[in-house]
Amino acid sequence: MKQNIVVIPTFNEIENIEDILRAVMNLDTPIDVLVVDDNSPDGTSEKVLQIAEEFPDRIFLKKRLKKNGLGTAYVAGFKWALKHNYEYIFEMDADFSHNPNDLPKLLEVCKNVADVAIGSRYVKGVNVVNWPLSRVLLSYFASVYVRFVTSMNVMDTTAGFICYHRSVLEQINLDKIKFVGYAFQIEMKYRAFSRNFKLVEVPIIFTDRTKGKSKMSGSIIKEAVLGVLQLRFKKLFNKL
């Protein structure tokens, strides 16, 4: 069985993709990369293929026909990683808001004490750099709301920097994952929590992107607020 791979979804990340790939390749801990690109018109996928020539069997590209949501990109990446027999499967943004140097730290926790290791902004205070206060408050209180509704003991419920043991992804029915934005991150954690997997938060510093454009939108936030209630009702009626 292969060991470690990080799934990185992209859409128009030409300004970041080469640097993030090289940062992962330069880690002392070997971690492969699968980029799931939603047919970026800026040449992101072409750059991935160019860098992949330098790192054969380490960097892979799954190109989709159109922009179809973060959640579906991760699900496609998770299925690819499972099919190719990876044991530890990460998710991470392409824009350096998640520090690649924290990947080994998540891996160590996932190997030794957890089924799901979560890179958490809020487990030790608020560790966010370059966000306006309004967005920090929105994100923080979104997690408070999610904990209240779901009873999950997770401080950063919308975190998107995660290491899964493959057994978690095998037992979560990926075909039933419904949500695509913030709610996708909540849904994955809640499905793992509902199946009694151990979720452990690892403190990280989250730094907002300095290059490229954020994909955040009002519809993503609305999906998260309403989606949490849907997940809770499904759990109550044993349909999760």
Side-chain angles (χ1 to χ4, degrees):
M1 183 173 290
K2 297 180 181 179
Q3 281 295 303
N4 318 308
I5 191 165
V6 56
V7 178
I8 303 178
T10 56
F11 182 75
N12 286 347
E13 291 288 357
I14 192 64
E15 295 175 277
N16 293 302
I17 193 61
E18 179 173 358
D19 290 341
I20 200 77
L21 290 175
R22 293 192 184 281
V24 177
M25 292 298 102
N26 287 333
L27 294 172
D28 291 335
T29 302
I31 300 176
D32 296 346
V33 179
L34 171 66
V35 175
V36 181
D37 184 67
D38 280 359
N39 202 21
S40 299
D42 69 350
T44 297
S45 60
E46 289 78 8
K47 178 58 72 173
V48 172
L49 292 175
Q50 178 185 330
I51 304 302
E53 291 180 0
E54 298 180 38
F55 301 95
D57 302 319
R58 293 284 315 280
I59 296 176
F60 307 95
L61 172 69
K62 182 176 180 62
K63 188 171 181 178
R64 306 200 301 171
L65 295 178
K66 61 180 180 179
K67 192 171 186 289
N68 203 24
L70 181 73
T72 63
Y74 272 129
V75 167
F78 293 158
K79 288 182 176 180
W80 188 98
L82 290 173
K83 181 180 178 181
H84 289 81
N85 297 316
Y86 284 92
E87 186 169 7
Y88 295 96
I89 301 165
F90 300 80
E91 58 172 88
M92 183 177 76
D93 291 345
D95 60 8
F96 283 95
S97 55
H98 305 138
N99 188 339
N101 291 328
D102 288 329
L103 288 168
K105 185 163 59 173
L106 292 181
L107 179 62
E108 189 70 17
V109 170
C110 202
K111 280 186 172 182
N112 294 308
V113 296
D115 303 302
V116 181
I118 301 167
S120 177
R121 297 163 288 189
Y122 307 129
V123 72
K124 287 188 176 180
V126 177
N127 293 305
V128 177
V129 178
N130 292 340
W131 262 10
L133 180 60
S134 59
R135 189 165 177 185
V136 173
L137 292 173
L138 174 64
S139 174
Y140 182 82
F141 284 106
S143 284
V144 172
Y145 164 72
V146 172
R147 290 200 306 276
F148 174 76
V149 174
T150 65
S151 299
M152 279 196 296
N153 187 26
V154 175
M155 292 297 294
D156 194 352
T157 56
T158 62
F161 191 23
I162 300 170
C163 179
Y164 296 96
H165 188 267
R166 66 175 289 119
S167 60
V168 178
L169 300 180
E170 287 171 333
Q171 291 190 44
I172 290 175
N173 189 338
L174 293 174
D175 291 326
K176 287 189 175 182
I177 298 296
K178 177 180 179 181
F179 300 113
V180 298
Y182 262 8
F184 164 78
Q185 304 294 0
I186 299 164
E187 181 175 6
M188 289 293 294
K189 295 177 186 69
Y190 193 47
R191 287 182 180 272
F193 169 79
S194 298
R195 286 159 177 78
N196 296 315
F197 286 109
K198 186 175 183 181
L199 285 65
V200 174
E201 291 183 270
V202 180
I204 63 160
I205 295 175
F206 178 96
T207 304
D208 197 20
R209 67 163 63 235
T210 58
K211 298 178 182 178
K213 185 178 179 181
S214 172
K215 314 303 190 295
M216 179 59 65
S217 69
S219 62
I220 288 174
I221 296 170
K222 181 180 178 181
E223 178 198 59
V225 172
L226 298 178
V228 173
L229 294 174
Q230 293 179 37
L231 291 171
R232 182 59 179 155
F233 283 127
K234 284 184 178 181
K235 178 69 165 56
L236 288 173
F237 294 100
N238 294 316
K239 292 184 178 181
L240 190 65

